[in-house]
Amino acid sequence: MRPDSEPARWRGTTVRAVAIAIGAAAILAFPAVAANPYMLTVGIGILNYAVLATAWNFVGGFTGYISLGHGALSGLGAYGTGLLITGAGLPSFVALGVAAVIVGVLAIPIGIAALRVRGASFVIVSIALVLILLLVFQSWAQLTGGSRGFVVPRPFPHLHRAEHHLVFFFLFAGLLALALVAWWLIDRSHFGLGLKAIREDEDKAQSLGIPTFAAKLVVFVVSAVFTALGGGLYALWFGDLDPVFQFSVLSGSTTVLIALLGGVRHLFGPLLGALVVGAGLEYFKLEYGDTPLHLVATGVLLGGVVMFMPEGIIPGLFGLYRRWFAPSDVSIREVTAAALLDASRRVPEDRERASREAGR
Amino acid sequence: MMSFRAFAHGTPLMNPSNRVHRTTVLIAALAFSASGCGHKSAGSASDPILIGVSLPLTGDFSEPGKGIQRGYEAWAKIVNAAGGLLGRQVKLKFLDDQSSADRVVSDYEQLVGKDKVNLVFGPFSTRLVVPAARVAEEYGMLFVEPAGAAKQVFEQGFKNLFYAAPAVATEHYKLLASYLLALPEATRPRTAAYASMDDPFAQSTAYGLKAKLEAGGIKTLVNEVYPPSTTDFSSIAAKIADSKADIVVGGTQYQDGVNLIIALQQLAYQPKLAAFSTAPTEAEFAKAIGNKAEGILAPTGYTPQSKFPSNVEFVQKYTAQFGGPPGEDEANGYATGQVVAAAVAAVGCAEQGDCQGKLVAWLRGHQVDTVVGGLKWDDKGRPLGAHMIQQWVGGKIQVVLPADLKEADLIYPKPTW
Amino acid sequence: MSAALVVQSLVLGVLLGGLYALLAAGLTLYFGVMRVVMIAHSAFLILAAYLAWYFHSLTGLDPLLSLPITVPVFFGGGVALQRLLLARLRPATRTMMSVLLTFAIALVIEGGLGTVFTGTQRRIQLGYSGASLELFGARVAVVKLIAFALAAAAMAALYLVLTKTKFGQALRATIQHREAAQLVGIQTDRIAGYGFGLGLATAAIGGTALALDSTIYPSLHWRWIGPLMAIIVVGGLGSVPGTAIAAMLLGMLMSLLQIPLGTTWAQTVFYLALFATLAFRPHGLFGGRLATRF
């Protein structure tokens, strides 16, 4: 464990709690500050990105597997919700829940097939999943409306459009909170520890007795459920589904970019990434219109992150800051073995001192 | 062995930088919401009337989309030259929705919600019109559109929608069906092949004709549907050629029509009659299929030669502005402008809010004279006229049906391509 | 469904398979040389197709005449790509990161094409675009034949380079076992660069062949990357002959399945083959040891 030169832990916790409270208040206050309903839709778009990226981060952050195919799961959630409403007559939010459960169940065989392979094959399989579902949903037009689109009935048909956006803003915020809490719980748990071991070195984790395959599968299913909830909620809000947009490798990879940007190891990393990317895309659209340049920008950004800051821009920038202004906090790679030994000897002393101070 | 080992370095298990993260989120959120600025709406009498439109200027529907844009631009120029609308100049704001149903929704959200336009015009293609119309409807805006003709459009329960062309999609081929079924037994075609894009408009036109021909005894041998992004038509063409159907009908937009015809040419399939929606009416069509367009049919709501009063001026000024005569898309765009202008002039207002309801009510009860003829609508927004049939004759596209409006005689059977 | 239709589909399938073989050959080369999944390969194909179209619209000459320009440029581009970007990735996570990096490159190419040429769909119209020949009882379009001939010639040339030249042998050695190749004195880093260049050069030829009979638009590469990846997995990652055989098989299968199933459903055959291969025979037809620990 690294030497911790930060102030005592109880102060850190309070600051953290206050910061979270302020952040939550900011999000809840946004609709009041937003100048017009259009900005609200932009806000919903960002929350949607954040939900999908956080859901993706269950797999990407904990196990280290990069799935470019989460678009398949959100698309299934979206169409599932829509079909349950129009075909089975379920009320909107019941359909949402049932669709998410169905996708979770489907995720088991998908996970079993996909998680057996690693690395390049896993990515290829995840992409192939999205593409084959795209073909299926385009061809099975009788069921899905094909490329003519699928209309999802409004859950609250009597609302004026601006009110509709308002309600869904809070619904998305609620879903995001749920996903964040779940991520946080796994992060602190023993289960999460096992997953992180898989991320560090899967073979060694396996030899330590961690049931790697079962653990990966469980977290994949959790990720799938949250992704499907995000997709289904989007379907209820947006109302019009087209296979080309629901089963899109591009949107799946935007999710990955968002998570990478904000930092996959952190709870709020995907949310941060969503803010940056969402605001950036919106700015681009308003300044330059709908040009393909934003694709170039996304590509350059993703390439830059991969090449130079694979732990995420925000963590990367703060790492730079720390290296600049607090040079004792260096990366473990740059510490010699002797200094490391020295530091690890100091930790129990720190902890004793901290507990003495706390007890005072 | 793949892992995020690169990520493993430098980050301890307990994480003080979460706090820093949170602060960043807070700052970003506040900065972002503060940046959302709205436009003041054009309210005073001398401000221009801002009209918002989202069109597919790129993507699958871009050829006809650009045609509609030219029509709108011609309309704005002519109206402004005549003094504007209610004494105010009109200004068009175009957004490119890239032929995407997702973007067209956010485009109209932006136009109505953020840019606070006074009026909206519709986009191109049923696929885009339906979601766009929903936005307009839920904001209470009048929605006159130049290109949503399929029956889906009128079954959504929209109360503010009006289609600015003579007839709905399923009726586009009405005159051709009558012509074919009236042919003598010996020359009448006996079999037909249909290929249409999985698009509500394209399919509606083809299926409208199919229903009429099947009822008249012409057998359907092939009935293929393909997704919009299809570019490889070799297998569909192979099936059509193998069936040796007498006639081929395409429910197409632009590029897919071109590709299908080239694929049929490559198989040396020679039908007695070939009818395609949209594609043959585009300027680039003949060249794109190797200048072998002679005899190809297409339904149309418009011809530059028609003698409707506003049409003569339109053709003249359009040709001066763009260097060539207008086509159907341009005319539909222009007609949309005329319909909205008529309502605005009659009611005397042009802004969001109650005014839109008054415009809707006025249109419901009146006929408007346009370059595509007099337009009148039923309670769902369906126009009550009839489309013409055009054919490539002598290297030009000309009206061949109905007989009283024809510019050339219908060629049947079609020369080889 | 008549016998003539089946024959027609079979012939079409062979022509298609040949083209797919060329398009996928580069993809498997990149993987063999550097364990890199180059998602941008299909984007480069479309780029080459656009260059061919642009050449034709600018000069009016046959697009095939653009090959002497595009092939060396793409070769150089491939070498640069490998040396400057991919070699910089840390070896431990190279495969994963290369996916994201090449994905980013594909986005940049797509955005660039969209900006320069707009999203309007393009198609080269040649005098002989609609012409056809009678071959084995089937009607074959002349442009498809030319594309096939080009692909066959390129594959033959690739085969000769790989088997008969010293460079080719060095490349195959590097693919087979990098450390052993280094031990016998092969400059694997440089060879890897040239291997990449070779892969991208095949993309230049493949893209031009594609442009002869296809409508192109910037986002077309999404439609190709899936089938091509499936082909290289089925054929065995890193094996060029495996890719060629898998391409022919899957091309013919897809063409035949189009009769009963229609174009869209028939395309699923690539993905089904991919899943089946990974489930039952993960190293594909000829993959061997390469496929086990990627």
Side-chain angles (χ1 to χ4, degrees):
Chain A
M1 205 134 108
R2 273 213 271 120
D4 187 0
S5 58
E6 306 287 332
R9 235 170 283 161
W10 65 266
R11 216 192 302 161
T13 318
T14 315
V15 174
R16 213 176 312 164
V18 169
I20 291 179
I22 295 180
I27 290 186
L28 292 174
F30 175 72
V33 183
N36 52 60
Y38 174 68
M39 292 317 280
L40 253 189
T41 65
V42 175
I44 294 180
I46 291 180
L47 285 178
N48 184 39
Y49 280 144
V51 166
L52 292 176
T54 306
W56 177 88
N57 208 23
F58 280 93
V59 173
F62 290 132
T63 67
Y65 278 56
I66 305 261
S67 157
L68 282 178
H70 265 55
L73 299 168
S74 75
L76 282 173
Y79 271 97
T81 306
L83 285 168
L84 283 171
I85 300 178
T86 58
L90 291 177
S92 302
F93 291 95
V94 173
L96 177 63
V98 173
V101 167
I102 294 180
V103 173
V105 168
L106 278 176
I108 298 178
I110 294 178
I112 293 179
L115 294 167
R116 275 179 46 193
V117 296
R118 299 192 200 166
S121 269
F122 178 75
V123 180
I124 291 181
V125 168
S126 66
I127 295 180
L129 189 66
V130 177
L131 292 172
I132 196 176
L133 281 175
L134 170 64
L135 288 175
V136 169
F137 275 75
Q138 273 183 326
S139 322
W140 207 348
Q142 260 178 324
L143 182 69
T144 66
S147 302
R148 274 166 286 137
F150 185 91
V151 175
V152 179
R154 291 265 192 264
F156 313 115
H158 308 295
L159 283 184
H160 183 259
R161 198 168 174 94
E163 294 161 356
H164 172 81
H165 291 324
L166 191 64
V167 168
F168 271 90
F169 182 87
F170 289 119
L171 284 174
F172 268 104
L175 182 59
L176 178 63
L178 211 67
L180 287 172
V181 165
W183 201 94
W184 181 70
L185 285 174
I186 294 187
D187 191 33
R188 297 164 58 85
S189 72
H190 196 69
F191 175 60
L193 207 58
L195 291 171
K196 289 174 200 167
I198 294 177
R199 174 181 70 201
E200 300 302 314
D201 191 327
E202 184 157 354
D203 297 309
K204 292 201 187 89
Q206 202 163 16
S207 62
L208 281 174
I210 296 173
T212 52
F213 191 71
K216 287 189 294 187
L217 191 59
V218 168
V219 83
F220 182 72
V221 171
V222 172
S223 174
V225 168
F226 275 107
T227 308
L229 281 172
L233 198 61
Y234 178 86
L236 289 176
W237 170 62
F238 196 72
D240 189 299
L241 300 177
D242 191 313
V244 156
F245 290 103
Q246 291 306 310
F247 296 104
S248 155
V249 181
L250 186 61
S251 71
S253 56
T254 310
T255 310
V256 175
L257 171 64
I258 287 174
L260 278 185
L261 207 74
V264 290
R265 314 271 312 240
H266 308 287
L267 176 62
F268 297 110
L271 170 58
L272 207 50
L275 269 168
V276 171
V277 171
L281 281 179
E282 196 48 45
Y283 171 76
F284 243 101
K285 181 169 170 237
L286 291 178
E287 277 303 298
Y288 301 107
D290 262 326
T291 69
L293 273 179
H294 79 266
L295 274 179
V296 177
T298 312
V300 168
L301 200 57
L302 183 60
V305 167
V306 167
M307 292 286 300
F308 305 117
M309 284 180 174
E311 66 268 15
I313 281 193
I314 312 293
L317 283 178
F318 281 107
L320 270 178
Y321 166 86
R322 248 179 278 142
R323 224 171 297 155
W324 220 257
F325 295 105
S328 58
D329 280 4
V330 292
S331 159
I332 203 170
R333 270 174 296 164
E334 295 163 18
V335 174
T336 64
L340 188 58
L341 192 60
D342 200 41
S344 66
R345 243 183 257 132
R346 271 196 280 132
V347 169
E349 299 166 14
D350 279 346
R351 207 184 291 149
E352 271 183 57
R353 195 183 319 131
S355 60
R356 260 183 279 130
E357 285 175 331
R360 214 176 284 159
Chain B
M1 164 58 196
M2 163 235 82
S3 73
F4 260 153
R5 233 179 259 144
F7 296 21
H9 298 295
T11 318
L13 283 181
M14 69 174 193
N15 203 339
S17 68
N18 252 328
R19 164 167 38 102
V20 183
H21 257 222
R22 223 45 200 100
T23 325
T24 320
V25 171
L26 161 64
I27 294 173
L30 285 178
F32 178 67
S33 55
S35 73
C37 51
H39 257 245
K40 68 170 178 25
S41 91
S44 84
S46 57
D47 282 347
I49 295 186
L50 192 59
I51 307 185
V53 200
S54 167
L55 281 174
L57 300 173
T58 54
D60 293 326
F61 304 140
S62 60
E63 287 302 319
K66 288 191 279 209
I68 305 241
Q69 183 182 38
R70 289 192 291 269
Y72 285 152
E73 283 171 345
W75 173 82
K77 189 154 181 247
I78 293 180
V79 161
N80 283 341
L85 214 56
L86 301 180
R88 296 153 69 177
Q89 295 283 291
V90 306
K91 197 159 119 101
L92 294 172
K93 176 160 181 166
F94 289 108
L95 292 179
D96 175 12
D97 54 46
Q98 306 186 336
S99 308
S100 136
D102 263 30
R103 293 216 177 82
V104 81
V105 169
S106 81
D107 280 353
Y108 278 99
E109 279 281 3
Q110 181 186 334
L111 290 168
V112 176
K114 178 178 179 298
D115 298 328
K116 304 268 195 273
V117 295
N118 299 81
L119 299 162
V120 291
F121 287 165
F124 175 79
S125 141
T126 301
R127 181 70 189 91
L128 300 181
V129 160
V130 170
R134 195 171 302 120
V135 178
E137 181 92 3
E138 291 175 1
Y139 277 127
M141 303 285 290
L142 167 70
F143 196 76
V144 182
E145 45 94 357
K151 64 178 169 73
Q152 267 109 311
V153 175
F154 309 101
E155 289 168 352
Q156 302 288 327
F158 294 137
K159 298 191 196 43
N160 298 0
L161 179 139
F162 297 88
Y163 173 40
V168 296
T170 42
E171 299 301 306
H172 279 193
Y173 277 120
K174 191 161 90 166
L175 293 171
L176 180 63
S178 323
Y179 171 87
L180 285 174
L181 294 173
L183 287 173
E185 187 77 39
T187 49
R188 193 187 313 161
R190 271 183 287 276
T191 55
Y194 302 87
S196 51
M197 185 194 266
D198 191 13
D199 166 83
F201 168 76
Q203 271 195 315
S204 286
T205 56
Y207 286 2
L209 179 58
K210 177 163 163 296
K212 296 183 172 55
L213 292 183
E214 279 174 348
I218 299 182
K219 212 161 138 240
T220 302
L221 293 180
V222 175
N223 184 16
E224 291 288 306
V225 177
Y226 52 88
S229 52
T230 306
T231 51
D232 180 16
F233 286 87
S234 24
S235 81
I236 294 180
K239 271 196 226 171
I240 296 178
D242 187 63
S243 73
K244 301 199 188 5
D246 288 330
I247 67 176
V248 64
V249 177
T252 54
Q253 292 286 352
Y254 178 65
Q255 191 65 43
D256 55 317
V258 168
N259 289 342
L260 178 57
I261 294 176
I262 294 182
L264 290 172
Q265 287 173 334
Q266 287 174 344
L267 294 171
Y269 164 70
Q270 301 294 350
K272 290 197 207 145
L273 182 133
F276 291 84
S277 51
T278 313
T281 62
E282 300 299 328
E284 302 291 314
F285 177 71
K287 184 155 166 279
I289 60 166
N291 286 314
K292 300 204 176 74
E294 193 76 6
I296 297 182
L297 291 154
T300 184
Y302 173 75
T303 168
Q305 278 73 32
S306 70
K307 296 282 176 289
F308 300 119
S310 50
N311 191 35
V312 177
E313 180 194 18
F314 170 51
V315 174
Q316 202 180 41
K317 297 212 172 124
Y318 180 94
T319 312
Q321 187 178 356
F322 290 103
E328 181 176 10
D329 300 313
E330 290 83 350
N332 284 343
Y334 193 84
T336 302
Q338 288 182 300
V339 170
V340 173
V344 165
V347 172
C349 71
E351 65 242 349
Q352 297 191 14
D354 290 330
C355 170
Q356 302 287 324
K358 293 191 207 143
L359 295 171
V360 171
W362 187 88
L363 281 176
R364 204 54 85 194
H366 291 84
Q367 171 166 314
V368 178
D369 288 320
T370 68
V371 294
V372 296
L375 293 177
K376 216 168 129 70
W377 299 271
D378 69 3
D379 62 336
K380 301 243 188 306
R382 285 191 205 98
L384 303 166
H387 262 51
M388 301 173 277
I389 305 290
Q390 282 182 326
Q391 189 177 37
W392 280 85
V393 179
K396 288 197 314 180
I397 192 158
Q398 313 199 48
V399 176
V400 292
L401 294 174
D404 53 331
L405 292 174
K406 75 170 182 201
E407 298 157 347
D409 287 318
L410 202 161
I411 305 175
Y412 176 82
K414 189 184 81 56
T416 55
W417 55 20
Chain C
M1 191 194 317
S2 61
L5 194 56
V6 174
V7 170
Q8 178 79 34
S9 300
L10 216 59
V11 173
L12 259 179
V14 168
L15 296 180
L16 216 59
L19 185 59
Y20 283 166
L22 177 64
L23 300 180
L27 205 56
T28 210
L29 265 180
Y30 307 130
F31 187 83
V33 159
M34 268 195 97
R35 307 290 178 275
V36 156
V37 181
M38 169 86 154
I39 297 202
H41 183 67
S42 52
F44 277 107
L45 284 175
I46 305 304
L47 176 62
Y50 260 99
L51 290 175
W53 167 80
Y54 188 60
F55 175 84
H56 173 75
S57 58
L58 213 58
T59 64
L61 298 170
D62 197 293
L64 292 176
L65 293 174
S66 69
L67 282 175
I69 311 172
T70 50
V71 172
V73 168
F74 271 58
F75 181 86
V79 176
L81 188 64
Q82 198 273 346
R83 307 302 288 140
L84 297 177
L85 288 178
L86 290 164
R88 294 270 177 85
L89 296 173
R90 296 181 205 113
T93 56
R94 175 171 294 147
T95 308
M96 207 65 266
M97 292 295 112
S98 70
V99 170
L100 292 175
L101 183 61
T102 53
F103 191 93
I105 295 174
L107 287 180
V108 170
I109 293 179
E110 183 184 338
L113 284 174
T115 312
V116 174
F117 295 114
T118 81
T120 310
Q121 298 186 346
R122 313 280 181 189
R123 189 177 178 143
I124 299 182
Q125 173 62 230
L126 301 162
Y128 51 90
S129 281
S132 59
L133 296 174
E134 185 91 26
L135 213 65
F136 305 118
R139 221 45 260 170
V140 175
V142 166
V143 282
K144 288 204 209 296
L145 269 175
I146 296 181
F148 179 77
L150 192 58
M155 290 297 280
L158 189 64
Y159 174 74
L160 286 174
V161 165
L162 284 178
T163 49
K164 300 281 189 266
T165 67
K166 233 164 160 219
F167 161 63
Q169 288 170 348
L171 188 60
R172 278 163 54 222
T174 310
I175 292 178
Q176 207 172 42
H177 199 305
R178 206 191 178 97
E179 285 80 18
Q182 281 170 343
L183 282 175
V184 297
I186 295 177
Q187 307 256 33
T188 50
D189 288 333
R190 207 159 5 126
I191 296 291
Y194 294 146
F196 246 74
L198 196 60
L200 227 64
T202 65
I205 305 178
T208 310
L210 197 63
L212 288 178
D213 192 35
S214 206
T215 304
I216 53 177
Y217 49 93
S219 52
L220 182 61
H221 66 108
W222 290 121
R223 185 226 164 288
W224 283 100
I225 193 61
L228 292 181
M229 283 194 311
I231 289 175
I232 65 168
V233 170
V234 170
L237 291 164
S239 156
V240 176
T243 300
I245 296 180
M248 293 298 286
L249 278 174
L250 289 175
M252 287 198 285
L253 195 59
M254 185 189 90
S255 198
L256 285 172
L257 285 175
Q258 277 178 339
I259 311 177
L261 299 179
T263 320
T264 326
W265 283 113
Q267 279 173 43
T268 61
V269 76
F270 288 104
Y271 304 109
L272 295 173
L274 171 67
F275 295 141
T277 306
L278 285 175
F280 301 119
R281 198 187 150 91
H283 42 271
L285 294 174
F286 292 96
R289 60 184 301 281
L290 261 192
T292 48
R293 275 321 202 92
F294 43 77

